[in-house]
Amino acid sequence: MNQELDYAEMLEIPVSTVNVVKKKSFFKRKQKPTQPTQDELKDMVVDSVNERIGAFTYAEDVSDPPKPEKKHKGAVSDGKGSRIIICELAAVCLLALAIFLTNFFMPTSAINTFISSIANPKQPEAEATYSDLKLSPVVSELSDAEVTVSENGVLSFTAKSSVYPICDGTVTSVSQNDGTYTVQINHTSTFKSVITGLSNVYTPVGTKVESNIPFAYSDGEKQVSVSMYDGETLLDCYTLTDEVPVWNS
C-alpha cells in the first residue's frame, strides 16, 4: 500500500478510489465491533492521499442545457407567408374577373341569378282583391237546386244538394243554431263568405277548401244563404249567369 501512495505522490494527482485487499487470517477471530470495514478503509486511504497531495475538484455545470424553441405546426416563415397571401389575392382577382365576364356574356347564368337574388330579394306579392278572384257556383251543375240572388247580393236556394265554396279559402268559423250550421270561409285577408242554413258540415275550422269540392250539405228543409263581404261591407256587385256568379265589369 505504501508503494501505491508513493506512486500517487509522484503523479501529483488526486485519488478518488483505491483497492484495499485484506488477507484472511488462518486463525478465525471474532471481529471487534469497532474494527473498520473494507469500505471504511478505502475512504480512509483516499482521504489520507488527498490530504497529502492537495485534493482538488473540478466544478462542473450540471444544469440542463437550454431546450431549443419549438416551432408551431401552423407557423410559417415570412417568405412563405407572403407567397400564400399573394396566391390568395390572385385567386380573388381571378374570381372577380370570372364573375365580370359571366355578367357580360351570360347574364342569365345560374351564378348571375343567384347573385341577383341576394342583391335584389323578391318582394312579397301583393294580395289579390276580391274582384280578381274567379267565383264558382255554390251547387253542383247536376243539382236541381234553383239559385237566386237578392237585391243586396245574397245568394240563396232551398233544395237537397251538396254545397260548394264560392272560391278557394280556409274555414275560420263553424257554429250551430236551431239545428242548422253557419260557416265562415276567408278567401283573402279581407274577402270572406258566410253560408247559413246548412244541415251538415264536413270541414272543421282551419281546413282549406276548394271551389270544386263540397264542404257541406243541405237536406232541403231550410233555406241556404251565401253572403260575400269585403271587410264588413256586404257585396252586391255581381250577377248570376247560368247559376255561376260573375263580378260586374
Side-chain angles (χ1 to χ4, degrees):
M1 185 169 63
N2 291 333
Q3 290 179 355
E4 290 181 355
L5 291 174
D6 294 339
Y7 183 70
E9 290 178 355
M10 279 194 312
L11 295 178
E12 296 183 357
I13 60 174
V15 177
S16 61
T17 184
V18 67
N19 292 329
V20 177
V21 179
K22 184 178 179 183
K23 295 183 179 180
K24 295 182 179 180
S25 175
F26 291 101
F27 302 98
K28 295 183 178 179
R29 296 179 182 180
K30 292 184 178 180
Q31 187 176 3
K32 296 181 180 181
T34 58
Q35 185 176 3
T37 62
Q38 185 174 358
D39 291 337
E40 292 175 344
L41 288 174
K42 287 183 180 181
D43 294 338
M44 292 171 62
V45 172
V46 170
D47 293 340
S48 176
V49 172
N50 289 337
E51 287 178 359
R52 297 173 64 181
I53 65 174
F56 64 92
T57 59
Y58 292 97
E60 182 179 2
D61 184 8
V62 294
S63 61
D64 295 333
K67 296 181 180 180
E69 296 183 357
K70 294 183 178 180
K71 292 184 178 180
H72 297 287
K73 293 182 178 180
V76 294
S77 62
D78 293 340
K80 188 175 181 180
S82 299
R83 289 194 296 270
I84 292 176
I85 293 174
I86 293 173
C87 292
E88 291 177 350
L89 290 175
V92 171
C93 293
L94 290 175
L95 180 60
L97 179 61
I99 294 174
F100 173 77
L101 293 176
T102 305
N103 289 337
F104 187 77
F105 293 106
M106 294 181 292
T108 59
S109 64
I111 187 170
N112 286 335
T113 304
F114 174 72
I115 294 174
S116 298
S117 64
I118 295 176
N120 301 310
K122 289 184 178 179
Q123 299 296 328
E125 294 182 0
E127 186 179 44
T129 60
Y130 67 87
S131 59
D132 295 328
L133 301 177
K134 182 179 180 181
L135 300 179
S136 300
V138 295
V139 295
S140 171
E141 295 178 355
L142 303 177
S143 174
D144 295 333
E146 183 179 352
V147 181
T148 61
V149 57
S150 66
E151 293 180 357
N152 57 357
V154 178
L155 293 170
S156 60
F157 68 92
T158 304
K160 290 183 178 180
S161 176
S162 295
V163 183
Y164 294 76
I166 199 72
C167 59
D168 298 348
T170 302
V171 176
T172 57
S173 175
V174 177
S175 60
Q176 186 179 17
N177 186 23
D178 294 335
T180 60
Y181 292 90
T182 298
V183 176
Q184 177 177 307
I185 301 175
N186 283 15
H187 308 287
T188 68
S189 60
T190 58
F191 178 49
K192 63 185 177 182
S193 59
V194 178
I195 304 94
T196 61
L198 300 170
S199 303
N200 295 289
V201 177
Y202 311 138
T203 54
V205 173
T207 304
K208 291 184 177 181
V209 293
E210 297 180 5
S211 60
N212 60 341
I213 299 175
F215 74 96
Y217 177 77
S218 172
D219 60 5
E221 297 292 331
K222 299 287 183 178
Q223 181 181 6
V224 176
S225 299
V226 181
S227 303
M228 292 180 282
Y229 295 86
D230 181 25
E232 299 301 325
T233 303
L234 179 63
L235 299 176
D236 59 356
C237 52
Y238 65 92
T239 56
L240 283 178
T241 303
D242 297 332
E243 308 294 333
V244 180
V246 180
W247 298 114
N248 295 333
S249 56

